[in-house]
Amino acid sequence: MTDEVLVRADHICKYFKIGGGRMLHAVEDVNLSIHRGETLGLVGESGCGKSTLGRTLMGIYRPTKGRLIYDGKEIDLSNKKERFAFAKKAQIVFQDPYASLDPRMTVGSIIEEGMAIHNLYDAKKRQERVAELLDIVGLNREHANRFPHEFSGGQRQRIGIARALAIEPEFIVCDEPISALDVSIQAQVINLLHDLQKRMGLTYLFIAHDLNIVRYISDRIAVMYLGSVVELASSDELYTNTLHPYSKALLSAVPIPDPQQEAKKQRQIIDGDVPSPINKPHGCAFSSRCPVACEKCRQCAPELKEVKPGHFVACHLVD
Ligand code: SF4
């Protein structure tokens, strides 16, 4: 990881119209930076806005408010030419390797498609590149002529990774890339992503709900709750010095491999359901479930502040 910021979210909001004049606030005022060569983990409960933020940072969604800065330059996603150029730099590996590959296309055509769209290389060179990418992700060159249904889940995810790498991106959003895979092959895919990062200097936003995996692969981790980042720190700092009440509850649910320590662990249960992103609580979004909420929490929303070098928290009770 370097000190150079590659991707920056500057007060990014993403809202969706849902009819009746109402808006779903999927992402709310997110500020964060991802450094070149870094893996930033993004965690939180289902529906907290992780995938929407990931898709906004790689240009699938246009922010409703705020700016997306890439390599020091604001990306205007309403400009077709700029959006197309940005698509070459930022790619995504989807959660579901079954749904994300077109069953009518051969593996070779799936991997080659991005190169053709971006007019990279001649036909012969593209074929060579497909073969090279299949080698890189641990598949056979002969697999180029087969169809997705002929592969296992882990192999399909390798095809998805080869497709993402085909146009030589710098930034990859890994959107729960192992959640749909058997536990036995999750580690293989994680190790592959890790090796590719070292080899190609890639930058990852790694979205996941398995907190042990996120800790293993990430340099820093951001915790999201109801569309906002509530805590951000290096992986070790977040796990050893958790400060936000929501992060504490989330991390207390992570199983410890040692059965004795696991038996002694105090698990913090969060009462109630996640509030609707259509009708968020006033003040701190976590105030309706927070065990230590006070009156101030229900009046005004806390800002994400740096409470010690590199450790940011959005909570009135942490400073
Ligand atoms: Fe809990 Fe208040 Fe902190 Fe929000 S600001 S997390 S409600 S203590």
Side-chain angles (χ1 to χ4, degrees):
M1 170 173 120
T2 64
D3 288 340
E4 184 192 343
V5 173
L6 183 64
V7 186
R8 185 157 75 84
D10 179 22
H11 295 282
I12 281 189
C13 302
K14 181 63 195 170
Y15 306 153
F16 296 97
K17 284 187 187 153
I18 53 157
R22 293 179 307 162
M23 286 282 193
L24 187 151
H25 291 221
V27 173
E28 194 75 87
D29 197 24
V30 167
N31 287 304
L32 55 80
S33 299
I34 308 174
H35 297 97
R36 194 181 281 277
E38 174 182 38
T39 297
L40 179 72
L42 190 58
V43 299
E45 289 164 290
S46 292
C48 71
K50 306 185 295 285
S51 292
T52 305
L53 178 61
R55 283 164 163 74
T56 308
L57 293 184
M58 53 86 55
I60 292 181
Y61 295 144
R62 203 177 300 170
T64 310
K65 292 186 210 166
R67 300 184 308 152
L68 168 61
I69 317 281
Y70 188 85
D71 208 7
K73 181 179 174 297
E74 182 175 353
I75 305 294
D76 178 4
L77 292 168
S78 62
N79 180 318
K80 205 172 162 189
K81 219 169 142 190
E82 222 169 291
R83 203 168 60 232
F84 184 71
F86 181 54
K88 185 175 173 317
K89 295 174 182 163
Q91 287 288 300
I92 186 164
V93 174
F94 292 99
Q95 174 179 2
D96 187 348
Y98 293 86
S100 64
L101 304 176
D102 187 336
R104 295 160 305 180
M105 292 171 75
T106 62
V107 167
S109 327
I110 289 170
I111 297 173
E112 196 186 337
E113 193 179 26
M115 293 185 258
I117 290 170
H118 287 273
N119 207 16
L120 294 176
Y121 320 123
D122 59 28
K124 184 166 174 281
K125 171 78 179 150
R126 277 183 212 151
Q127 296 298 317
E128 287 169 11
R129 180 110 180 97
V130 167
E132 186 191 349
L133 285 160
L134 287 169
D135 281 343
I136 288 173
V137 299
L139 294 171
N140 297 328
R141 291 175 173 228
E142 302 75 58
H143 287 158
N145 299 319
R146 298 201 196 161
F147 289 88
H149 72 267
E150 298 176 63
F151 295 88
S152 67
Q155 288 174 318
R156 286 183 207 210
Q157 198 54 294
R158 288 174 189 268
I159 297 166
I161 293 169
R163 173 179 59 184
L165 293 175
I167 54 172
E168 299 180 57
E170 300 172 311
F171 173 50
I172 298 184
V173 172
C174 303
D175 188 1
E176 307 226 20
I178 54 162
S179 313
L181 305 180
D182 287 348
V183 175
S184 57
I185 47 174
Q186 287 183 350
Q188 293 173 17
V189 173
I190 288 294
N191 288 336
L192 172 64
L193 287 167
H194 201 55
D195 291 347
L196 293 171
Q197 181 175 45
K198 278 201 278 182
R199 188 164 159 179
M200 301 176 182
L202 297 166
T203 302
Y204 292 148
L205 176 69
F206 191 91
I207 301 170
H209 62 259
D210 183 325
L211 296 163
N212 279 326
I213 297 268
V214 174
R215 183 180 190 179
Y216 171 72
I217 197 166
S218 307
D219 298 295
R220 293 185 303 148
I221 297 174
V223 181
M224 273 188 93
Y225 183 77
L226 213 57
S228 301
V229 172
V230 296
E231 187 157 9
L232 170 66
S234 71
S235 302
D236 286 345
E237 169 72 8
L238 187 77
Y239 279 77
T240 54
N241 184 25
T242 320
L243 296 177
H244 193 281
Y246 175 66
S247 312
K248 284 182 183 172
L250 202 63
L251 295 185
S252 78
V254 179
I256 301 172
D258 179 341
Q260 285 184 340
Q261 281 195 25
E262 176 66 17
K264 279 191 244 157
K265 188 180 75 178
Q266 285 208 321
R267 188 163 171 195
Q268 297 181 26
I269 309 287
I270 317 173
D271 289 330
D273 297 323
V274 183
S276 164
I278 303 163
N279 191 14
K280 290 188 183 183
H282 199 62
C284 175
F286 190 50
S287 58
S288 58
R289 302 171 80 200
C290 180
V292 289
C294 59
E295 198 44 41
K296 185 180 179 187
C297 305
R298 288 179 264 275
Q299 300 297 329
C300 65
E303 281 182 21
L304 189 69
K305 289 181 301 191
E306 190 167 22
V307 293
K308 58 189 276 201
H311 194 154
F312 297 80
V313 185
C315 176
H316 292 309
L317 301 189
V318 180
D319 48 29

